């Protein structure tokens, strides 16, 4: 009797295990319809940044008359050949004619003039750096962000996230009406335990009424500050370093002198969706 029971149990287990892999043709891997349609993306495969999608930045981004400057250099934005974009931060020889003992450089890319979109969902998967003293960001920029008046409806800088290296602090922010006297902004800093370890997904849903920010799929802020931008924006993935007072304090990136460079920001992908009609 026992042997028959064993055979019966084994037969049932065999059938059950077989069942789990039986699929009707065409039923495999059908994604659930979440109402979004992928329109533009980069998974950073290959060994060269795709110039049809991105411009790689190069200039003295954070010039400081009283200390080392923070450059954007092309060689500090590159693909690692294993499917990731890397933005590197390092100490470099003084890059201009001032008296700095050295300067710093980081990498940055943007889709200006190559891809722009109004509204939609914008997403990045990335791993924050191991050191502090610099900051990394995934953000949207309108060419008309400098237009004073009409609040941010005619162009807003949308900082989907700013991360501060080895830090659990994440910043979301909106800036509009230029960067001079009329500049306005609203932001929200959040502390996210564990965000400084491993890969995480940061996303923004931008519609006519509001901006909704997510970290790993969980809402972290929403705002309609500036009345919500109604113009297309391009995508930026950047790293920056400034040695000016406002940047080196605990309120922002921390002091780069206390960090060990080179340090790296690793990006797995960027995806942009639009709402299905
Ligand atoms: Ca300087
Ligand atoms: Ca310099
Ligand atoms: Ca404006």
């Amino acid at each position: 009797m026992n042997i028959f029971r064993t055979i019966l149990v084994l037969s049932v287990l065999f059938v059950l295990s077989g069942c789990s892999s039986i699929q009707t043709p065409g039923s495999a891997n059908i994604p659930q319809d979440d109402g979004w349609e992928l329109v533009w993306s980069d998974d950073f495969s290959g060994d060269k940044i795709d110039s049809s999608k991105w411009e790689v930045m190069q200039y003295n981004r954070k010039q400081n008359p009283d200390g080392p400057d923070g450059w954007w250099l092309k060689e500090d934005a590159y693909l690692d050949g294993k499917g990731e974009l890397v933005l590197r931060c390092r100490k470099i020889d003084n890059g201009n004619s001032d008296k700095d003992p050295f300067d710093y450089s980081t990498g940055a890319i943007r889709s200006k003039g190559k891809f722009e979109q109004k509204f939609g969902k914008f997403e990045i998967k990335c791993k924050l750096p191991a050191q502090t003293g610099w900051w990394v960001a995934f953000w949207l920029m309108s060419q008309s962000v400098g237009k004073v008046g009409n609040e941010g409806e005619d162009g807003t800088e949308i900082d989907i996230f700013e991360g501060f290296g080895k830090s659990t602090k994440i910043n979301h922010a909106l800036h509009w009406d230029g960067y001079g006297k009329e500049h306005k902004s609203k932001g929200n800093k959040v502390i996210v335990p564990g965000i400084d370890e491993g890969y995480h997904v940061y996303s923004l849903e931008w519609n006519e009424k509001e901006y909704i920010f997510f970290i790993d799929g969980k809402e972290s802020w929403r705002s309609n500050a500036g009345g919500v931008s109604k113009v297309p924006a391009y995508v930026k993935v950047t790293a920056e370093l400034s040695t000016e007072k406002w940047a080196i304090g605990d309120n922002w990136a921390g002091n780069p002198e206390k960090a060990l460079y080179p340090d790296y920001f690793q990006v797995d992908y960027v995806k942009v969706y639009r709402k299905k009609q």
Side-chain angles (χ1 to χ4, degrees):
M1 197 64 185
N2 277 346
I3 184 98
F4 289 115
R5 189 170 292 163
T6 306
I7 289 168
L8 181 67
V9 168
L10 285 174
S11 306
V12 167
L13 285 174
F14 178 77
V15 168
L16 283 178
S17 68
C19 276
S20 64
S21 67
I22 292 172
Q23 287 165 336
T24 19
S27 71
N29 300 321
I30 293 179
Q32 272 193 320
D33 186 355
D34 59 1
W36 294 107
E37 178 183 8
L38 184 69
V39 288
W40 189 82
S41 66
D42 199 337
D43 63 3
F44 302 112
S45 54
D47 52 16
K48 204 163 172 281
I49 292 173
D50 185 345
S51 61
S52 74
K53 293 176 178 167
W54 304 102
E55 176 190 0
V56 183
M57 311 305 296
Q58 174 142 330
Y59 61 90
N60 192 349
R61 166 76 177 174
K62 295 292 183 190
Q63 195 156 5
N64 180 1
D66 305 313
D69 306 307
W71 296 75
W72 273 343
L73 293 185
K74 288 191 175 177
E75 61 212 84
D76 291 305
Y78 57 90
L79 302 189
D80 69 354
K82 292 178 276 185
E84 295 204 339
L85 166 73
V86 179
L87 301 185
R88 177 175 58 188
C89 172
R90 60 195 174 110
K91 258 187 187 177
I92 56 169
D93 291 341
N94 187 13
N96 52 1
S97 58
D98 63 12
K99 297 276 191 292
D100 298 327
F102 54 84
D103 279 344
Y104 293 100
S105 71
T106 58
I109 60 173
R110 66 181 186 183
S111 71
K112 187 180 183 185
K114 299 171 190 279
F115 173 79
E116 301 192 0
Q117 180 170 295
K118 177 177 75 172
F119 308 142
K121 182 166 133 182
F122 302 77
E123 186 170 277
I124 191 170
K125 184 178 180 188
C126 57
K127 183 174 187 277
L128 293 178
Q131 301 285 319
T132 55
W134 59 309
W135 69 100
V136 299
F138 177 49
W139 43 312
L140 306 180
M141 188 63 136
S142 298
Q143 306 220 27
S144 52
V145 71
K147 282 190 182 172
V148 173
N150 291 320
E151 292 286 317
E153 294 192 29
D154 55 354
T156 295
E157 172 191 324
I158 307 164
D159 300 332
I160 298 170
F161 97 94
E162 291 171 293
F164 301 89
K166 183 73 181 168
S167 164
T168 55
K169 177 177 67 186
I170 296 294
N171 195 45
H172 306 297
L174 303 160
H175 300 267
W176 65 95
D177 282 353
Y179 299 96
K181 256 189 7 220
E182 312 291 336
H183 167 251
K184 294 183 188 72
S185 72
K186 190 164 182 193
N188 187 43
K189 279 201 184 84
V190 292
I191 299 295
V192 188
I195 202 75
D196 53 339
E197 300 282 349
Y199 289 81
H200 297 275
V201 175
Y202 305 84
S203 50
L204 167 81
E205 289 182 27
W206 166 24
N207 59 48
E208 284 183 62
K209 295 198 176 79
E210 61 188 344
Y211 310 100
I212 313 168
F213 299 77
F214 299 87
I215 300 174
D216 291 328
K218 206 173 141 203
E219 184 179 325
S220 44
W221 191 43
R222 73 170 62 201
S223 177
N224 60 1
V228 181
S229 178
K230 309 286 193 295
V231 299
Y234 55 90
V235 177
K236 299 181 81 164
V237 183
T238 66
E240 290 179 69
L241 187 155
S242 172
T243 58
E244 289 181 279
K245 265 207 187 85
W246 65 268
I248 65 174
D250 288 341
N251 190 46
W252 199 246
N255 194 335
E257 280 180 23
K258 294 180 180 167
L260 285 174
Y261 298 140
D263 193 18
Y264 306 91
F265 174 45
Q266 291 164 262
V267 182
D268 185 20
Y269 67 70
V270 169
K271 294 179 182 177
V272 180
Y273 303 82
R274 69 180 158 217
K275 262 274 185 265
K276 281 185 186 162
Q277 297 300 312

